[in-house]
Amino acid sequence: MTSRTSLKLTDERKRLFEKASEIVAADETDDPPRSVVLDAALTHLIESKENIEKARGDVDPTTIQEVANTSVLGLRYRTRVESRWR
């Protein structure tokens, strides 16, 4: 990954920041800085992946896909048949 010191804020990215900020905010008067919103989003992404991996043995793949898939990230499952004779 390339290190960057600036982030171009397109209209769409500003809209996403606003929506994410509402989720992260402690209440309706809180206006968290973008760094807090980014940290929360990255932490959520990492922890969600870990939670999905933990749930794979307990929850069927279809349910995990229904709950975890988004417009930007999705899960795919592959089945594999292995011969026990060889």
Side-chain angles (χ1 to χ4, degrees):
M1 178 172 62
T2 304
S3 295
R4 298 185 188 241
T5 57
S6 64
L7 181 66
K8 184 176 180 182
L9 293 177
T10 62
D11 289 341
E12 175 64 11
R13 191 170 281 150
K14 286 178 186 177
R15 188 185 66 75
L16 292 172
F17 264 118
E18 288 174 15
K19 289 179 104 176
S21 180
E22 292 172 7
I23 295 168
V24 173
D27 57 38
E28 56 275 344
T29 62
D30 187 24
D31 186 21
R34 287 192 177 123
S35 61
V36 170
V37 176
L38 280 172
D39 289 345
L42 293 171
T43 300
H44 178 71
L45 177 65
I46 292 164
E47 290 179 2
S48 291
K49 182 182 185 303
E50 292 169 356
N51 290 342
I52 291 166
E53 292 297 326
K54 289 178 191 173
R56 282 186 183 217
D58 300 329
V59 181
D60 67 281
T62 303
T63 302
I64 291 176
Q65 285 177 314
E66 289 173 0
V67 173
N69 282 1
T70 67
S71 63
V72 293
L73 296 173
L75 301 172
R76 280 191 311 182
Y77 287 88
R78 295 183 194 168
T79 56
R80 189 162 98 196
V81 178
E82 295 181 11
S83 172
R84 296 182 188 261
W85 295 101
R86 296 184 102 188

